Amino acid sequence: MLIPLCKPRLASFGGLACLTLAACSGDGPQSNVVLEGSPAATQTAALLVSGDPLGSYGEAFTDSEGRGFILVGPNDGQGAQAVYRLDGGTIRRAPGELAGPVTLNQASSMKLRTSAVTLAQLAGNYTIRFGGDGADFRLDADGKLTAAGGACQLSGTLRTDSSVPGTLPLTLTIAGCTLAGSYDGYAIRSLDYQPAAFRLVADDGKRVLDGYAVSYR
C-alpha cells in the first residue's frame, strides 16, 4: 500500500539535523520514519536502525533526490527482512506498515562500494539461495531472466530505469517451490558482496526474498 507523506520537515534529533517523513492518512499521522543526520546525495551506505522489529542493520541506496530504498535485517550477513521504498512524496514498507516511529540512524554509517552497472555486465549463468530454497537461472544482456534448474523456477526481467548507482529494478516470478509468487525488487552490484556477482532483493508486499547470485559456467 502506498502511504502519502506529509510535507518533509527538518527537525532536531540528538543535536543533529534530521529529515522526518510523517506518513499520513485521513485520520492524521500514523507513523514516522526519521533519517538522522543530513542524508547524503546519491548515498549507498550501511547504517544502524532502531524502531523496526525486524532488524537493526540497514543498507540505504538513494539517488540525488533522495529516491531509492533501504533494506533492514537482523545484522550484517543475514538477509533483509524489510524493504523501505522512498519515492518523493510517498514511502512504502514491505511487509506492511508500522504503527510506531522508526529511526534510520545515518550518523552511524559506512559507505558501500557501488558504481553504475549495465545489463551486459551482469549477463551470465547464476545460482542463488533464498534461505533454504535454491535456484539456477540465466540472465541475458537484454535483461531477460529465465530458469535453468533448482527447486525454484525463476523468470523475470531486469530494467535499466534506475537513478540509484549500482542497482537495477526487476520483476520476478517464482514457481515450483514454497516461494511461488510474483515479486518486485532490485539487483544490486557492490564490491562488498563479492564473491557474488550481485545481490537480488525482492518482495511481494508480505515477504522479502534476499539472496546472492553466484556465477557458474
Side-chain angles (χ1 to χ4, degrees), residues 6 13 22 28 36 41 69 79 98 100 105 119 128 149 166 170 188 203:
C6 295
F13 189 93
E36 184 180 333
F69 57 98
L98 290 178
N105 181 2
L119 291 171
I128 193 168
L170 64 86
I188 310 167
D203 74 87

Side-chain angles (χ1 to χ4, degrees), residues 166-208:
T167 73
L168 297 173
L170 64 86
T171 56
L172 183 68
T173 299
I174 300 180
C177 66
T178 58
L179 301 178
S182 298
Y183 300 81
D184 294 297
Y186 310 90
I188 310 167
R189 188 188 188 201
S190 171
L191 294 176
D192 298 282
Y193 299 155
Q194 290 182 345
F198 61 93
R199 182 180 183 183
L200 194 158
V201 181
D203 74 87
D204 63 357
K206 297 179 180 180
R207 56 184 171 183
V208 177

Side-chain angles (χ1 to χ4, degrees), residues 19-96:
L19 179 65
T20 303
L21 304 178
C24 299
S25 69
D27 299 325
Q30 295 179 334
S31 63
N32 293 301
V33 177
V34 180
L35 307 181
E36 184 180 333
S38 299
T42 318
Q43 172 177 273
T44 56
L47 57 146
L48 297 178
V49 176
S50 63
D52 191 310
L54 294 181
S56 59
Y57 174 81
E59 293 187 5
F61 303 85
T62 58
D63 66 12
S64 59
E65 300 297 323
R67 294 178 172 86
F69 57 98
I70 299 173
L71 308 176
V72 175
N75 53 57
D76 187 11
Q78 288 190 264
Q81 301 295 308
V83 179
Y84 290 83
R85 287 181 171 85
L86 312 174
D87 184 13
T90 61
I91 185 169
R92 182 161 59 96
R93 177 187 183 272

Side-chain angles (χ1 to χ4, degrees), residues 44-48 57-58 76 106-113 192:
T44 56
L47 57 146
L48 297 178
Y57 174 81
D76 187 11
Q106 298 188 81
S108 301
S109 63
M110 179 184 69
K111 185 174 177 59
L112 296 174
R113 296 174 293 172
D192 298 282

